[in-house]
Amino acid sequence: MPRMGRSLFSSTLLPLLLVALMSLGLMSWAWTAPDCTIADSSLLPNLSYYIPFCSLAPGLHIFASCSNVKDLAQTLTAVPQDIEALCLQGTVPILSTDAFPHFSSLRLLRLQLGTIRVTSGAFQRLEQLQHLSFEHHAPCCLSLFLSPDALEPLRFLKSLSFQGYCLNNSQNIQLPMKLSHLTLRHSCLIDLQELQGLFPNLVPDSSPTASPRPWSPFLEMLDLSGNLQLSQVGVRALHGLQLHSLRLDGTPLSALTLPDSGLLHLDSLSLVGTGIEKLPVNVTKYFELRALDLGRNQIQNIEDEDLSSCHSLELLSFHANGLQFLPTRFLSALPQLQRLNLSMNKLGPTLVLPEGLVSSNLRVLDLSHNELSVLPCGAFSFLPRLQELWLSGNNISNISSESLKGLRWLKTLDLSWNQIKVLNPGWLSFLPALTSLNLLGTLLERILGKQLQGPQKLSHLQLGSLNTLEIYPPWPPALLSLEAWAEGYIQFSIPRGEPFLFLENLTLQTHNMLLVPNNITVHFPSLRHLTLRGCNPHIFSSRQSLGFFPELPVLEHLHFWSTHNGPEDLHLSGMPRLRVLELGDLDFLLDSSPVKLEVLLKELPSLQVLALSNLNLGNLSVSSFTNLGLLRLLLLNSEWALGLDSSLQELIPQMPQYVYFSDVTFACQCESSWVAPWAIRAPNTFVYGLEKSICMANASDYLRTPLLSFLSDHCPYDAGLQAFLCSFTLALLLTVLTLLGCPRWLWLHHLRTLFRTWWWKLGGRGPRSQFRYDVFLSYCAQDQAWVLEKLVPALEKPPPAGEGLRLCLPERDFGAGQDRMDAMAASMESSRATLCVLSRQALSSPWCNLELRLATYFLVAKPGTTRLLLLSLEPIDWRQLRSYHRLTRWLQKKDYFNLPQSRVEWNDFCEQLRRRLRNAGQERDDQGL
Ligand SMILES: *[C@@H]1O[C@H](CO)[C@@H](O)[C@H](O)[C@H]1NC(C)=O
Ligand SMILES: *[C@@H]1O[C@H](CO)[C@@H](O)[C@H](O)[C@H]1NC(C)=O
Ligand SMILES: *[C@@H]1O[C@H](CO)[C@@H](O)[C@H](O)[C@H]1NC(C)=O
Ligand SMILES: *[C@@H]1O[C@H](CO)[C@@H](O)[C@H](O)[C@H]1NC(C)=O
Ligand SMILES: *[C@@H]1O[C@H](CO)[C@@H](O)[C@H](O)[C@H]1NC(C)=O
Ligand SMILES: *[C@@H]1O[C@H](CO)[C@@H](O)[C@H](O)[C@H]1NC(C)=O
């Protein structure tokens, strides 16, 4: 081949070939899916804070969320098949038969695919599906055609939702028997009667042809919110439908007269944001409702006579209505009422609650955001069963025990974000059952333990002031969770005792933590979740006068946002059970020195999740991640000028299962060029976010160069692979030197034993498999004579004298006129192993390099699927190679061979080589199975 052709090959065709190989690989199995997020939210509950994904149903954790979907089948090939939830956004005009062939464990499917037709067998393999939704979020409406029997295979479907779609092209959709939630939001329903035509088996006896739904007597919930044109109710439109709960939020209700619909047994009705100004008396009267939500309406007055129709209500919400008072008979007219939500109204400044029966059943009362400033004495005394009282966001400045009198069963009291300046001693004395008290956002600077005395079971405490907060003993004895906020400092005064023996959750939001006296040690033997926001990292100092947490034996989750004066010398120790570490810097400054991960993470043996934000990590290298063998999720968020050193390639086989880059700016450097092929074809790892990342050449570079295009444009195409090559050769050299260093008979003996064991194990008769060749032989023209004369005959010698290996030699076995690159890639793929013959000449020849690079590429891209063996013919000058490209892990010792100098060992050597090649091939067979 002419010279020019060769260089053309190496400059343009090699990358193309690699891309082709990668996409071949993608077809079979891949984690990295462009435009998809794949995650396990059980690892990090707060994951959605860092990377966007669709909302899930409770209990589902493993999901894929893909955007820009155009070719559904192609997108799905890149999604792991054991996911529980799948969200797809894009444009797919038709879901054809068997559209989801491999997802038998799927429970939730959310489709935002534009105008769509669903053909009858589209969901046929989704037997476990419980939640299905079609969504379109722009203004109403797109058209959706659903074939009548499309839902039939979904025997376990519980909820079905259409948002922003008109279904008037579809008719006779058969609903699955187990369906309990049906949603048609922002649709173009005009008349409730249309539901009968759409879903004939929704209403049992509406049509004689429809099969009834005897197994499902009730539809739990019908959500028709946002149907702006829905204003008619055909008489008896829903006759016979046994519906528990109906939502008509955001639907103009003026002309809607539900009683005419023929509905039976409605329990719960939601009319949020419908613009009504009066209680919908006719509706409440007709249904004997138990729950009515009238939030965000304009009901400013309630007439006593309207209330008589509400006597059955247990739950009533007037959230955000501008109510100014409640009629005097309010509570006596609602004897069943258990939850009353009056938040965001205008009931203040002095609370006047209507007198009620002392036997009132009210358990939950929400009076937050009502401009209240005075709670009169005995304000709640006729609500003896009250368990939760929400008074957040009012103007209360002074609260006395008298105003809380009579609340014998109160468990939760929320007084956050008021103007509280004083707490009278004993103010909680009438609340013996209190377990949870929220005093965030007060104006208190000192909280004395005796102010918290009274409730014996107080276990959840939230305390906060604007600037400083000093907390004095005695501490409530049974605290399980404690949250404290104050911008400047929080001082804990603990003269004696161990106040936090049972504490499980601790949240502190402050700049400084102080302990008085400062020579004591506080123990947190039960602490599992620790959240620190804005704290100085000294809190973890090992010096006793500063450190607040000497040891946290059962801590599992640490969420720490420090301030800029630096987590750089932060050292976390004494947390043997820590599983989840979220670490970030609130005010990261460019000139702060880089955080040293190796120091930070030195003593966290159980870490499974590591999420790092805004930390100035600088250049990450393999040493940053020592001892993190259990790591399953690594998230790098808001990093600036991040470098991923080429030594990190060593970690590829042990990389965490999930690696996310969110909002990361990389350094434009070719050292990181390995990430491009890795991210596309990462064997064990799902990589998210690289395609969106940009890089910066230096501090003043604001060009926003996409990282991947920088790497492909500026880094020689083979920089990464060259690095592998160097690593190999160096590793080879080192190992060979080591081997040569020990007494020769020792390692020979060792090898021989090894080979013999395997020989017996395999019984000497491995099945001839799909591989065409046993060994692909790569060598240089300069070494050809030796290879053909010596090596080939030795390896091909038939049994019993030899192994009878089938060799592929480019010069001999490639067809005339065949494209050498194609042939080479194909032959390597169809060979069990690749043997590279190395010599000084080999390393300087572009062709030999190329073949070696290809083989190395396979090795890195698919560890375990390709066997590469190296045979070195002579000592090679390695001095120019860089020492940190260590890839020892890629090659096992038994895969290097050094040509013996003396004649005597030649036969021995050939024997070993033959057997190693054969065994290597066998391993590949095994892995391929
Ligand atoms: C999630 O993380 C963010 C940032 O770290 C934090 O502000 C937020 O409170 C967290 N939410 C939960 C539910 O932990
Ligand atoms: C479906 O309803 C929309 C909105 O009312 C209307 O514009 C459209 O013409 C209807 N299509 C059919 C086929 O009835
Ligand atoms: C309530 O029903 C009565 C008759 O049952 C009717 O006269 C009245 O107009 C209805 N009120 C409203 C607000 O629909
Ligand atoms: C009252 O209603 C609002 C709006 O729906 C809600 O956010 C709030 O949690 C409710 N209060 C209680 C105590 O449930
Ligand atoms: C502690 O926090 C975790 C996570 O937020 C929560 O699941 C758990 O219920 C909390 N425990 C207590 C005692 O509050
Ligand atoms: C702390 O210091 C005080 C005096 O400053 C001393 O009385 C006390 O014993 C010390 N406590 C401990 C635990 O060292």
Side-chain angles (χ1 to χ4, degrees), residues 134-369:
F134 297 88
E135 293 170 23
H136 170 68
H137 291 293
C140 171
C141 296
L142 295 183
S143 118
L144 179 148
F145 172 78
L146 196 61
S147 144
D149 54 354
L151 303 177
E152 226 156 63
L154 307 179
R155 281 178 297 134
F156 295 101
L157 198 69
K158 287 198 283 198
S159 81
L160 173 64
S161 163
F162 304 91
Q163 294 194 38
Y165 280 103
C166 279
L167 287 166
N168 50 1
N169 285 325
S170 312
Q171 285 292 311
N172 285 323
I173 300 169
Q174 297 295 320
L175 293 177
M177 298 303 172
K178 293 230 160 76
L179 195 75
S180 63
H181 288 65
L182 177 62
T183 300
L184 277 99
R185 281 169 164 253
H186 299 282
S187 177
C188 43
L189 282 184
I190 295 171
D191 187 338
L192 277 189
Q193 196 105 38
E194 291 171 47
L195 289 174
Q196 280 188 3
L198 279 174
F199 308 111
N201 64 349
L202 176 68
V203 182
D205 46 5
S206 61
S207 136
T209 57
S211 55
R213 307 194 317 135
W215 293 277
S216 177
F218 285 105
L219 194 59
E220 190 66 31
M221 154 86 88
L222 177 62
D223 185 346
L224 301 175
S225 302
N227 280 283
L228 298 180
Q229 294 159 299
L230 181 62
S231 56
Q232 292 168 31
V233 182
V235 175
R236 303 173 76 73
L238 299 175
H239 180 71
L241 175 60
Q242 309 220 10
L243 183 63
H244 183 262
S245 175
L246 177 63
R247 294 184 88 114
L248 291 167
D249 300 349
T251 318
L253 203 69
S254 45
L256 193 64
T257 46
L258 278 176
D260 287 343
S261 66
L263 269 177
L264 303 171
H265 303 292
L266 193 65
D267 272 342
S268 165
L269 178 64
S270 176
L271 298 172
V272 173
T274 51
I276 50 174
E277 293 170 4
K278 281 177 66 70
L279 272 179
V281 174
N282 283 5
V283 175
T284 46
K285 191 187 275 173
Y286 182 81
F287 286 114
E288 305 239 314
L289 289 176
R290 289 203 285 172
L292 178 61
D293 191 343
L294 295 169
R296 293 197 284 113
N297 283 304
Q298 273 111 45
I299 306 174
Q300 289 172 5
N301 290 302
I302 302 170
E303 310 289 338
D304 266 338
E305 60 266 25
D306 295 347
L307 289 170
S308 59
S309 67
C310 298
H311 64 98
S312 58
L313 285 176
E314 292 169 12
L315 185 155
L316 178 58
S317 172
F318 285 109
H319 168 79
N321 267 277
L323 264 183
Q324 293 177 5
F325 62 89
L326 294 176
T328 46
R329 285 187 50 241
F330 188 84
L331 286 172
S332 38
L334 301 171
Q336 313 288 330
L337 200 63
Q338 294 182 19
R339 296 181 74 100
L340 177 59
N341 193 333
L342 296 168
S343 57
M344 293 189 75
N345 281 294
K346 297 192 172 137
L347 296 171
T350 301
L351 179 66
V352 186
L353 280 181
E355 303 258 330
L357 308 168
V358 176
S359 64
S360 166
N361 272 312
L362 202 65
R363 310 279 154 94
V364 180
L365 176 59
D366 191 340
L367 289 166
S368 35
H369 301 281

Side-chain angles (χ1 to χ4, degrees), residues 627-856:
N627 293 331
L628 292 180
L630 298 180
L631 202 62
R632 295 182 60 200
L633 189 157
L634 172 65
L635 188 151
L636 300 174
N637 175 54
S638 292
E639 283 302 329
W640 198 86
L642 183 72
L644 297 176
D645 188 286
S646 60
S647 66
L648 280 169
Q649 294 168 98
E650 271 184 46
L651 287 179
I652 288 177
Q654 295 111 42
M655 279 279 182
Q657 211 170 343
Y658 304 99
V659 175
Y660 303 109
F661 298 95
S662 102
D663 187 24
V664 171
T665 304
F666 287 86
C668 290
Q669 58 179 33
C670 288
E671 274 285 280
S672 310
S673 62
W674 63 277
V675 302
W678 167 68
I680 294 170
R681 194 59 195 83
N684 308 308
T685 300
F686 171 73
V687 185
Y688 167 83
L690 273 186
E691 62 279 23
K692 298 182 200 93
S693 299
I694 55 166
C695 72
M696 293 177 103
N698 53 48
S700 53
D701 169 17
Y702 292 103
L703 288 178
R704 304 187 62 80
T705 320
L707 172 71
L708 295 185
S709 53
F710 168 82
L711 296 178
S712 64
D713 296 349
H714 293 84
C715 305
Y717 66 91
D718 58 347
L721 298 173
Q722 192 70 48
F724 292 139
L725 175 61
C726 298
S727 317
F728 274 122
T729 41
L730 184 68
L732 177 68
L733 173 75
L734 292 178
T735 317
V736 169
L737 286 182
T738 327
L739 289 178
L740 290 180
C742 37
R744 193 165 282 198
W745 61 269
L746 239 177
W747 71 267
L748 270 179
H749 176 76
H750 178 70
L751 275 181
R752 202 172 293 135
T753 341
L754 209 64
F755 287 148
R756 196 166 296 136
T757 329
W758 283 350
W759 185 246
W760 286 118
K761 196 176 97 192
L762 298 177
R765 281 184 304 277
R768 295 257 159 171
S769 68
Q770 75 270 28
F771 295 109
R772 249 177 91 201
Y773 302 108
D774 294 309
V775 183
F776 176 82
L777 209 51
S778 166
Y779 52 90
C780 301
Q782 292 88 333
D783 301 323
Q784 184 170 342
W786 180 84
V787 169
L788 292 180
E789 277 170 35
K790 299 279 187 192
L791 189 63
V792 172
L795 297 178
E796 287 190 331
K797 199 192 297 176
E803 299 295 321
L805 292 173
R806 290 168 303 172
L807 300 188
C808 174
L809 281 75
E811 309 304 335
R812 183 183 73 185
D813 297 317
F814 284 7
Q818 206 177 356
D819 183 302
R820 178 158 173 152
M821 287 292 289
D822 288 350
M824 194 166 70
S827 312
M828 275 189 192
E829 270 282 81
S830 59
S831 300
R832 295 159 183 250
T834 296
L835 176 65
C836 287
V837 179
L838 287 182
S839 64
R840 238 171 297 174
Q841 287 160 330
L843 286 172
S844 55
S845 145
W847 269 116
C848 294
N849 259 327
L850 181 61
E851 285 164 2
L852 191 52
R853 269 186 242 130
L854 262 182
T856 2

Side-chain angles (χ1 to χ4, degrees), residues 459-460 480-481 504-505 529:
S459 56
H460 295 74
L480 294 178
S481 91
E504 288 176 16
N505 291 0
H529 291 256

